[in-house]
Amino acid sequence: MRRHDFEPGKLVVGLVLLACAAAYLGAARGDLHFPSYALLPVLVAGFCLAGVVSSVAFAVRRRRKQ
């Protein structure tokens, strides 16, 4: 079986989604007190960060092949 390339952008997206799910769960249990719509900017920022990380990883991978 062929090994897969490491994709740090997918790692960032996964961590952001897990953190938002944990925060939402904490809010549902009553441990945290914040409006649920406050997670939307966090998700958008996380997706933007993942895009930047993916772009940088692609550029580094492309330069190493040359």
Side-chain angles (χ1 to χ4, degrees):
M1 183 161 102
R2 186 174 169 263
R3 295 190 82 173
H4 298 283
D5 292 335
F6 175 65
E7 297 184 22
K10 289 183 180 182
L11 176 67
V12 171
V13 168
L15 291 175
V16 167
L17 288 175
L18 281 174
C20 287
Y24 189 76
L25 181 64
R29 289 185 64 205
D31 298 336
L32 299 173
H33 302 287
F34 62 89
S36 60
Y37 60 83
L39 291 177
L40 187 61
V42 174
L43 284 173
V44 171
F47 288 147
C48 290
L49 178 66
V52 169
V53 168
S54 294
S55 298
V56 169
F58 177 74
V60 167
R61 195 175 296 133
R62 193 174 75 193
R63 283 195 183 258
R64 285 191 180 183
K65 285 185 178 181
Q66 289 179 356

